[in-house]
Amino acid sequence: MPSSVPPFSELLGNARTSAVHLELRDGYGTNPRLEAWRRGERVDWGDRQSWFHPFHQSIADAVARGVVVRRARVVSEPVSEYIRWEHYATRANIIAGEQVRWLPRSRATGFLIPANDFWLFDGELIRVHHFAGDGRHVMDELSTDAGTLKLCGSAFEEIWQRATPHSEYRL
């Protein structure tokens, strides 16, 4: 099934009005940028070539077309090392044009949250991410099921309303 899911850049490239992303994990394994951060290396934000990756360009292109791109992260507090790094690196997402908010898990009681991370495009197509317990990405799946779209869209909006904008969220 994973091979039948188009690349993210294609899905975002087809979005007309909105793309929302919900992240629910306190860690997503490791990657070279995280490892560099752990070694004390920091991004030279003035050197855009060093950090502006194809992902960021996809976001910037979508925003330039008028697509509103929002990301909400539900996090445990105190935050994990991964989330500390992610908070630091979110500057790139913001520069690319994403709106990002953070919701402490302690403020996520009283409403239902989906069990999986997802991207929801135009409220019409959802790309659900599945991860292993250690944070490794296992697979993605697409759905156009009306019930799933409504449930996930409503959950995202509830989280978004309760969450703190990135510029105000303090670790």
Side-chain angles (χ1 to χ4, degrees), residues 23-94:
E23 294 181 356
L24 300 164
R25 299 181 58 85
D26 290 318
Y28 292 87
T30 190
N31 64 65
R33 293 179 301 137
L34 171 61
E35 293 306 319
W37 180 82
R38 284 179 171 153
R39 291 189 302 272
E41 297 173 27
R42 296 299 179 257
V43 173
D44 177 358
W45 295 109
D47 179 11
R48 188 177 173 117
Q49 285 294 112
S50 69
W51 60 265
F52 202 76
H53 302 294
F55 168 82
H56 301 111
Q57 190 61 57
S58 294
I59 297 295
D61 292 346
V63 170
R65 289 193 331 270
V67 176
V68 176
V69 181
R70 297 183 292 159
R71 177 185 305 252
R73 292 177 170 140
V74 179
V75 296
S76 300
E77 291 182 325
V79 300
S80 67
E81 177 188 47
Y82 188 96
I83 295 299
R84 283 195 311 277
W85 167 73
E86 197 169 53
H87 187 271
Y88 167 78
T90 293
R91 183 171 177 179
N93 301 72
I94 301 295

Side-chain angles (χ1 to χ4, degrees), residues 48-49 84 105 114-115 119 138 148 152 165 167:
R48 188 177 173 117
Q49 285 294 112
R84 283 195 311 277
R105 205 170 303 283
W119 275 96
V138 176
T148 300
C152 290
S167 63

Side-chain angles (χ1 to χ4, degrees), residues 93-168:
N93 301 72
I94 301 295
I95 291 170
E98 270 193 66
Q99 299 171 39
V100 180
R101 292 189 181 182
W102 303 80
L103 180 66
R105 205 170 303 283
S106 62
R107 291 183 25 216
T109 304
F111 64 101
L112 296 177
I113 296 177
N116 296 304
D117 291 14
F118 63 81
W119 275 96
L120 180 61
F121 302 96
D122 297 326
E124 299 171 354
L125 176 69
I126 191 166
R127 179 180 178 176
V128 179
H129 303 295
H130 297 282
F131 294 92
D134 64 2
R136 285 179 299 106
H137 179 257
V138 176
M139 65 176 267
D140 291 329
E141 68 176 304
L142 295 179
S143 178
T144 56
D145 175 74
T148 300
L149 297 172
K150 183 178 179 182
L151 181 80
C152 290
S154 295
F156 181 89
E157 294 304 329
E158 182 69 30
I159 291 165
W160 188 257
Q161 292 305 312
R162 293 176 185 227
T164 302
H166 177 72
S167 63
E168 299 171 22

